[in-house]
Amino acid sequence: MNAAAPPLPTSLPTPLIVLVGNPNAGKSALFNALTGARQKIGNYPGVTVERKLGRMMLGDGRPAELIDLPGAYSLNPGSLDEAVTRDVILGRQAGQRRPDAIIIVVDAGNLDNHLRFALQLIGLGLPVVVALNMIDLAERDGLELDPQRLAAELGVPVVPTVAVRKRGLDPLLGELAATLSGPMSDKPVVGDQTGALDDGEFRALSVRARDIAKMAILRETPTRQWTRLLDGILLHPLAGVVILLMLLFVMFQAVFAWSQAPMDWIEAGFALVADQVIAVTPDGWLRSLINDGVIAGVGAVVAFLPQILILFLFILLLEASGYMTRAAFVMDRMMMGVGLSGHSFIPLLSSFACAIPGIMATRTIMDQKDRLTTILIAPLMTCSARLPVYTVIIGAFIPARSIGPGIGLQGLVLFGLYIAGIFGAMAAALVIRRRVVKGAQGSFLIEMPRYQWPRLRDIALGLWQRAWLFLRRAGTIIFISTIILWALLSFPKAPENSATGQAEYSLAGRIAAAVEPIVRPIGFTKEIALALIPAMAAREVAVSALATTYAIDDKGDEAATARSLGQRLAGKWSLATALAFLAWFVFAPQCISTIAVTRRETNGWKWPAFMVGYLFAMAYVAAAITYWTAVAFGLG
Amino acid sequence: MQLDIAPLRHLLRVESIDWSAIPDGEAQRLRSLGVDEGAVIEPLHRGILFFRDPLAIRVGRMTVALRLKVAAAIRCSATEQ
């Protein structure tokens, strides 16, 4: 163990270790346990496969870098993710040095299947330690294992671990240090080996894996009672659908119901800061920049952090508990109806939080036509960036009254907007799959992991990473667009006693005047036209843009300034306009980052251009239908 | 019998698979998930409502979901273990 490992010269480079294993082996939990919060998340150069790098201390005190590689079933890649895993292991991934050692993570409760990939990896000849992970769940499921026998059969160290409880980490780090300190010369060199197996080799390895698993299993009782019991309910032909719909409904209700208090606190905090700015700065452009630009704009968006985190909380819980693949199972047949598969459901559900990870999650879809279609419709899922827009408009125009036990009208309208996005996506998928991305029906073949309690620490870490990304976005894209918009709105100055408001007189107002004729038929005002332009950067900018526009126009009117954006809009817009504005945002592709990630994922501008074009057309038509229907009902 | 019409909760041994009826990528994934000639499997759940598609099966200690079209290419026989 670590005590036996001789100290190494300090001049040696920091060892690079990779965590590899089948999907659902618990790699990410082990990565979190080994690196704590010392993680850096990015992408591999040239591809949008997430690269998670962390630092840890080996058993002998040496620092080491650890990479959490995407789950794979073998070195014969079936998806982009798996290709990256293979290339990193073989030292062929651009911008990534070859690893010095591998931690192979195997699920102790699924040895016969996971050992095949482990055997293939061991065959590469790199220093290896096997983490026999989730040993507690295996025991819970009636398995008694012999790690020593397993180590003897595999010919490499095997350490039982329970990543989520941080059990077995010290022995693992000790074995890793010892393995790295061992003689390297007698180890085969990976070189240009591809690790790929033909059918015969694959079968032989499967047989060997099953034999080793049999030898390592001392006692076995019928499998996964809890998982079978829960699957009996959650995959039930009727109850399964009802439960999934109820879960989604609760999720969207919670986004509204749970977030009110923290949102009020954030808004009160920004109001306090604005008061302080008034107290310490003279009336002039600087105060206007800070209060009307930065605080009104960035503050309006940051206030939605609680809602975004609640949404992510649900998605992380669904993923960590093992339910997400069940949802894919339940949805597969319906997705098949529009030419897709249950595989697309997981990226699409992730897109409710943000289309970017959703689009990136399509890498696991084997069928390329299904994958492209999923990418093209992902922006139609109601992402968290739309929440600020929806919340402001719903808060201003829809009464906050209950229409049944635990069901609020505002939450119901929000649910309706989500449903509109889903139906829009399904309709788009149907047309795209039949007319644009033609080809044979895709497939649905997926492993459904056992259920487990999500670990609070992993969920908290996931939420923190999302919160940080959102705040960074608020501090960069939204901050910069807000300041540019403030400047465009503030200059040139409208003459004293002019009948024209400052926003209308400004440069931004003149740009909006040019755009306004295009959006007038769908009920949009000049202020909305103005807000739509910077909102191309990100949807939530529409809220900050409206906040800044009206803050500048109401300047000097203390009563108006004291009112929230929602109250201001309620006084200035008709209900028909507000509903058309909501309908527009169900479809409009207003997010530069989504367009950029689509370009990267599809290797060119053809598909992002198609996506932007068809989504704007849908947005325009939907807003027009909504506006004119509302006007016909006397709501204009 | 073909797996797509096999009764639920009965142990089956995979006798043969018509690999030519399954696209390459899917065939590789099927093998990776342990569904191969000789494997012992157990159909557990069918898909929603009246569609009965996809099908969830147990392979070893793992649950795998596959579509009926693929299941139709898998021939099985009843087994005790």
Side-chain angles (χ1 to χ4, degrees), chain A residues 76 82 109-110 113 116 141 199 203 220 224 228 231 237 330 332-333 340-341 442-443 445-446 448, chain B residues 19 26 28-29 31-34 36 42 44-45 48-49 51 53 58 61-67:
Chain A
N76 304 32
E82 289 185 319
N110 201 358
N113 196 266
R116 185 190 44 247
D141 285 339
D199 287 355
R203 284 207 180 97
E220 187 174 14
R224 302 184 173 182
R228 290 187 74 147
D231 273 347
V330 169
D332 179 62
R333 191 56 187 76
L340 294 176
S341 76
S443 66
L445 190 54
I446 195 169
M448 296 199 281
Chain B
W19 294 109
E26 218 168 332
Q28 184 191 320
R29 177 59 53 89
R31 283 200 195 98
S32 300
L33 292 169
D36 210 339
E42 181 188 7
L44 292 176
H45 309 279
I48 57 161
L49 307 176
F51 296 115
D53 194 8
R58 181 173 69 78
R61 300 180 74 85
M62 193 166 57
T63 309
V64 171
L66 71 166
R67 281 201 178 147

Side-chain angles (χ1 to χ4, degrees), chain A residues 31-117:
Chain A
F31 179 76
N32 287 343
L34 288 170
T35 62
R38 291 159 294 179
Q39 301 180 7
K40 200 174 154 193
I41 299 174
N43 284 334
Y44 289 98
V47 286
T48 45
V49 174
E50 194 173 72
R51 178 178 185 267
K52 286 176 81 178
L53 178 75
R55 289 186 75 83
M56 61 179 188
M57 298 292 269
L58 295 174
D60 56 7
R62 265 183 298 164
E65 289 185 326
L66 184 68
I67 289 182
D68 182 14
L69 286 175
Y73 290 99
S74 70
L75 292 173
N76 304 32
S79 67
L80 194 57
D81 265 5
E82 289 185 319
V84 166
T85 294
R86 179 200 58 192
D87 290 345
V88 171
I89 294 168
L90 298 178
R92 301 193 312 202
Q93 180 68 39
Q96 182 67 62
R97 68 189 160 108
R98 213 185 94 185
D100 299 294
I102 304 175
I103 299 176
I104 303 174
V105 190
V106 299
D107 175 1
N110 201 358
L111 272 187
D112 47 356
N113 196 266
H114 286 201
L115 282 182
R116 185 190 44 247
F117 188 27

Side-chain angles (χ1 to χ4, degrees), chain A residues 81 95 120 152 168 189 210 217 286 307 319 371 436 453 502-503 507 509 514 564 622 628:
Chain A
D81 265 5
Q120 198 181 3
V189 178
R210 278 203 285 264
I217 294 171
L286 182 63
Q307 290 192 334
E319 271 175 358
R371 179 167 178 256
V436 186
W453 280 111
Q502 171 59 35
L507 192 57
S564 71
W628 288 107

Side-chain angles (χ1 to χ4, degrees), chain A residues 16-22 25-27 30-31 34-35 56-58 64-69 89 99-106 117-118 121-122 126-133 156-159 161 168-169 171-177 179-180:
Chain A
L16 177 70
I17 323 287
V18 287
L19 270 174
V20 195
N22 288 49
K27 284 184 308 301
L30 189 58
F31 179 76
L34 288 170
T35 62
M56 61 179 188
M57 298 292 269
L58 295 174
E65 289 185 326
L66 184 68
I67 289 182
D68 182 14
L69 286 175
I89 294 168
D100 299 294
I102 304 175
I103 299 176
I104 303 174
V105 190
V106 299
F117 188 27
L121 291 166
I122 292 166
L126 279 170
V128 161
V129 177
V130 171
L132 189 58
N133 200 26
V156 296
V158 173
V159 181
T161 56
L169 300 189
L172 180 70
L173 291 167
E175 287 292 357
L176 204 54
T179 306
L180 278 165

Side-chain angles (χ1 to χ4, degrees), chain A residues 370-419:
Chain A
D370 274 9
R371 179 167 178 256
L372 179 58
T373 310
T374 309
I375 289 173
L376 293 174
I377 64 166
L380 283 167
M381 296 293 113
T382 301
C383 67
S384 51
R386 285 178 176 94
L387 276 176
V389 181
Y390 289 173
T391 312
V392 163
I393 306 300
I394 290 173
F397 292 91
I398 307 295
R401 67 163 189 261
S402 171
I403 54 164
I407 304 172
L409 182 60
Q410 292 185 333
L412 195 67
V413 171
L414 183 68
F415 186 66
L417 290 168
Y418 275 86
I419 295 292

